[in-house]
Amino acid sequence: MTTLDRAPLDRLEPIGLDELTERADLQTRVDRKYVLPLGEVGAVLAEVGPTTRVLEIAQARSFAYQSVYFDTPDLTSYLLTAQRRRRRFKVRTRTYLDSAECWLEVKTHGARGSTVKNRLAYQLEHHATLTPGWQFVETVLAQESIVLGGAPAFVPTLVTQYRRSTLFLPDTASRVTIDTELTWQDAGCPLRLPDLAVVETKTGSTASRVDRMLWVRGYRPTRISKYATGLAALRPDLPATPWRRTLRRHFTQVGSASCGHDTHPVPGRHDVDPDLPRHDVHPEYGGRPHPAPRRIDFAPAAGSSPSPGQI
């Protein structure tokens, strides 16, 4: 099975984007992620209860997403996450492919394991560069007392694509996202996991009904990051202790016969998967063992910072 059974989604009442944002914006939240066989998702959806609603836009309930993740050439963002540093962060553009809407997003690690997401409306043609949005990125990082030594040059490092459906759970004012048709692309062969789904609950302090349903079925929150785990799967030379179990259990297609190798050298233009949009490949990145990480100095931001824009 490589496609999600839509019948359980079709039985749910719809909710519009404006109402969902008003009732469950959750830019600061607790995220719990689960990796399920695709065939199990329908059974879970069948039990979510009649009050659960599904995001519907223009009569569609499943939407195509693309994210471009940015990192320094020596992978500062990745290594902070791999080392479980308190002041870790991710920088990405997210494009909603159905509507061609694009956002620049900076995610940081908040108190008690929460995730804080700051976002800025972005021009679609800039989705593979940070140049127009660098001041926004710098401001958000400074507000979190994340100061990178020198003037780091962020480059596009990984592209992810997937389809997402979103549920609203009114009893806990929380959301559940279901991501399928998962694809990762760095400078080498793409990695696809068509038989798996990533289910993510986004809540306040209280676990949702879906969390409890998954616990009863034997699923527990899994350490998985679309950026870090995907990059670790594509680049086995990277340190990957937090995701080792997830990689062993679910990311088994790396080095498959379709790629013909276990690590991925920098491709020529004719080697890049034609089904994925192109993004600039930085000459210092791809296929080589990464250099030793720079020293990362954290210090309180000087003075007050302006508002980072839409949150």
Side-chain angles (χ1 to χ4, degrees):
M1 180 178 184
T2 58
T3 58
L4 178 65
D5 179 9
R6 304 289 171 186
L9 287 176
D10 292 341
R11 289 195 292 268
L12 299 175
E13 290 296 315
I15 186 171
L17 181 59
D18 290 342
E19 184 181 357
L20 177 65
T21 301
E22 179 183 352
R23 299 182 66 179
D25 190 31
L26 295 171
Q27 297 302 307
T28 300
R29 67 204 185 206
V30 176
D31 295 335
R32 300 177 183 89
K33 301 176 184 179
Y34 307 84
V35 180
L36 277 67
L38 194 58
E40 288 287 307
V41 177
V44 173
L45 290 174
E47 298 180 8
V48 295
T51 62
T52 301
R53 298 166 70 183
V54 59
L55 176 64
E56 181 176 287
I57 302 173
Q59 300 183 317
R61 298 187 171 193
S62 173
F63 309 95
Y65 283 50
Q66 181 193 78
S67 296
V68 179
Y69 289 88
F70 297 84
D71 210 334
T72 62
D74 53 1
L75 302 183
T76 297
S77 173
Y78 175 89
L79 292 172
L80 287 173
T81 304
Q83 296 162 5
R84 310 300 294 169
R85 294 289 292 271
R86 164 67 178 82
R87 293 191 177 103
R88 54 190 182 265
F89 65 93
K90 292 187 184 73
V91 179
R92 73 186 179 197
T93 58
R94 167 165 285 177
T95 302
Y96 302 89
L97 298 176
D98 301 283
S99 63
E101 179 183 348
C102 185
W103 294 82
L104 173 61
E105 300 181 341
V106 182
K107 298 178 74 174
T108 55
H109 191 66
R112 298 184 179 181
S114 64
T115 299
V116 181
K117 182 167 70 173
N118 292 268
R119 59 199 319 236
L120 175 73
Y122 216 52
Q123 295 296 318
L124 179 61
E125 60 266 28
H126 297 148
H127 76 284
T129 177
L130 289 185
T131 301
W134 175 245
Q135 185 176 2
F136 168 76
V137 173
E138 195 172 37
T139 297
V140 174
L141 295 181
Q143 286 181 329
E144 298 298 324
S145 299
I146 299 174
V147 180
L148 306 181
F154 280 76
V155 295
T157 304
L158 186 72
V159 177
T160 64
Q161 286 193 188
Y162 50 93
R163 296 197 68 84
R164 169 170 288 186
S165 296
T166 301
L167 307 181
F168 170 62
L169 309 178
D171 55 337
T172 51
S174 56
R175 285 185 281 140
V176 178
T177 58
I178 304 159
D179 297 341
T180 60
E181 301 178 29
L182 299 154
T183 302
W184 290 262
Q185 174 94 56
D186 67 347
C189 288
L191 167 64
R192 295 186 177 90
L193 297 179
D195 297 318
L196 291 179
V198 175
V199 176
E200 183 171 355
T201 63
K202 308 168 192 287
T203 70
S205 58
T206 304
S208 71
R209 171 182 171 84
V210 170
D211 286 296
R212 295 188 173 88
M213 289 167 51
L214 290 169
W215 298 343
V216 168
R217 290 175 171 270
Y219 294 102
R220 293 294 182 267
T222 300
R223 281 188 173 177
I224 183 171
S225 155
K226 284 197 180 69
Y227 173 54
T229 312
L231 193 61
L234 288 163
R235 300 220 13 216
D237 59 298
L238 294 174
T241 301
W243 315 287
R244 193 159 291 156
R245 182 177 180 183
T246 302
L247 291 166
R248 283 199 306 263
R249 294 187 63 182
H250 303 297
F251 287 73
T252 58
Q253 298 184 24
V254 177
S256 65
S258 62
C259 262
H261 47 71
D262 294 327
T263 58
H264 307 295
V266 179
R269 285 190 173 272
H270 60 284
D271 295 322
V272 176
D273 181 13
D275 294 329
L276 290 177
R278 283 284 303 162
H279 63 285
D280 293 337
V281 177
H282 192 274
E284 293 185 50
Y285 187 83
R288 305 179 187 133
H290 64 85
R294 293 181 292 105
R295 176 178 175 178
I296 302 165
D297 297 318
F298 295 114
S304 59
S305 300
S307 170
Q310 182 174 355
I311 296 176

